[in-house]
């Protein structure tokens, strides 16, 4: 989807990040989006600042840059790190780095960050999921997250979601496998409107624009730096969006 965005090369500044946090009542910040967060030179300063304000931090990465950033992961106070898995070969290439992160954390007797594998379910990944769950157990990650593919924009014909019947079968098999491996597993939740994402979260782009959801990166509700998050979330524009989600061309089709 990132290929289709009008501006995909921006980087959120540390000053803007601080202004955004000051302008809302945040309990949790997930540092991810349509780009690799470890490319941001101020990422760990952002995490340290958020944690100093009592805000729980999560980082989602593809893992390709983790080896040179392990010290920052530990020193910043990061609570959770998730490795996004959508391609088996890419995951296998970063597997040693994830293992090294787990080993270093455990050798130091640290409890944080929690380390997760975040696996996208779609037709191209279904056959690999049993193997990925075995690898997760061998790595001793804290949990595996299974989530549905979001491809309402149809950006790739090869990336399609499985049927709900197939999902039910996959979930049953994954639960059975996880129990045998003593592996914690988070499963896709039932979708409803207005969805839990929009009810409890707001997405801020790298340009500082507020949108209802990371899957609606160009549906601007306001400027999070200039307008402030709190003002945006009590605005008529935001309320109207929530009320009409069922008729929205994207939200009405979303199962995520």
């Amino acid at each position: 989807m990132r290929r289709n965005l009008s501006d995909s090369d921006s980087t959120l500044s540390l000053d803007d990040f601080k202004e955004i946090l000051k302008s809302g009542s945040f309990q949790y910040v997930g540092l991810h989006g349509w780009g690799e967060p470890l490319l941001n030179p101020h990422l760990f300063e952002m995490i340290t600042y958020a944690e100093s304000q009592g805000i729980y931090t999560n980082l989602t990465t593809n893992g390709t840059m983790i080896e040179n950033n392990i010290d920052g992961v530990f020193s910043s106070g990061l609570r959770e790190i998730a490795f996004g898995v959508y391609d088996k070969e890419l995951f296998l290439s970063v597997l040693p780095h994830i293992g090294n992160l787990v080993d270093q954390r455990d050798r130091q007797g640290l409890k944080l960050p929690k380390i997760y594998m975040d696996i996208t379910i779609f037709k191209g990944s279904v056959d690999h999921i049993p193997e990925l769950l075995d690898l997760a157990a061998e790595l001793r990650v804290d949990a595996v997250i299974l989530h549905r593919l979001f491809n309402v924009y149809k950006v790739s014909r090869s990336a399609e979601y499985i049927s709900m019947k197939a999902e039910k079968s996959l979930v049953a098999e994954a639960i059975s496998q996880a129990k045998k491996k003593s592996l914690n597993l988070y499963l896709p939740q039932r979708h409803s409107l207005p969805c839990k994402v929009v009810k409890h979260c707001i997405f801020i782009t790298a340009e500082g624009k507020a949108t209802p959801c990371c899957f609606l990166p160009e549906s601007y509700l306001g400027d999070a730096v200039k307008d402030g998050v709190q003002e945006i979330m009590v605005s008529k524009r935001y309320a109207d969006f929530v009320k009409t989600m069922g008729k929205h061309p994207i939200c009405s089709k979303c199962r995520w």
Side-chain angles (χ1 to χ4, degrees), residues 38-256:
L38 286 170
L39 287 169
N40 190 310
H42 304 294
L43 176 68
F44 294 116
E45 293 174 272
M46 292 176 175
I47 293 169
T48 298
Y49 176 78
E51 289 289 343
S52 74
Q53 303 302 303
I55 301 171
Y56 197 105
T57 55
N58 165 286
L59 166 65
T60 300
T61 172
N62 64 20
T64 56
M65 298 179 66
I66 195 63
E67 189 68 7
N68 294 325
N69 287 284
I70 287 179
D71 288 345
V73 168
F74 291 133
S75 64
S76 62
L78 180 68
R79 304 290 189 96
E80 299 175 340
I81 182 167
F83 292 91
V85 183
Y86 62 91
D87 180 272
K88 176 186 172 183
E89 297 307 316
L90 175 60
F91 176 68
L92 292 177
S93 70
V94 300
L95 197 63
H97 307 318
I98 301 173
N100 185 30
L101 181 69
V102 175
D103 288 342
Q104 287 202 39
R105 182 195 65 178
D106 293 349
R107 281 200 303 270
Q108 295 180 49
L110 302 174
K111 294 184 178 180
L112 298 176
K114 297 293 184 183
I115 300 172
Y116 306 134
M117 272 176 54
D118 189 332
I119 302 174
T120 302
I121 305 170
F122 64 103
K123 288 183 178 179
S125 70
V126 169
D127 292 341
H128 302 307
I129 288 177
E131 179 184 355
L132 293 173
L133 291 177
D134 283 341
L135 290 171
E138 291 175 16
L139 285 171
R140 307 188 314 280
V141 298
D142 294 289
V144 170
I145 303 163
L146 294 178
H147 74 262
R148 301 181 182 101
L149 173 77
F150 181 88
N151 193 24
V152 174
Y153 291 95
K154 303 298 182 185
V155 296
S156 172
R157 293 181 180 177
S158 62
E160 296 181 1
Y161 195 62
I162 61 178
S163 68
M164 297 311 290
K165 181 179 179 181
E167 180 188 280
K168 185 175 180 180
S169 176
L170 171 67
V171 166
E173 292 176 9
I175 290 173
S176 176
Q177 185 178 357
K179 286 182 178 178
K180 292 176 182 177
K181 299 286 184 178
S182 298
L183 183 65
N184 292 321
L185 192 63
Y186 294 99
L187 300 169
Q189 300 298 304
R190 182 178 179 181
H191 185 70
S192 61
L193 290 175
C195 74
K196 64 180 183 298
V197 174
V198 171
K199 286 196 292 185
H200 301 293
C201 310
I202 193 164
F203 180 68
I204 312 296
T205 70
E207 298 83 29
K209 304 295 185 181
T211 81
C213 165
C214 65
F215 296 131
L216 300 170
E218 294 184 324
S219 297
Y220 297 138
L221 296 171
D223 189 309
V225 180
K226 296 178 181 178
D227 303 329
V229 172
Q230 195 64 36
E231 289 299 314
I232 291 170
M233 295 194 76
V234 298
S235 68
K236 184 177 185 301
R237 181 185 293 183
Y238 184 84
D240 288 345
F241 173 83
V242 174
K243 289 178 183 177
T244 59
M245 284 181 69
K247 298 178 181 179
H248 191 280
I250 300 301
C251 298
S252 60
K253 300 175 185 176
C254 178
R255 290 189 295 177
W256 196 85

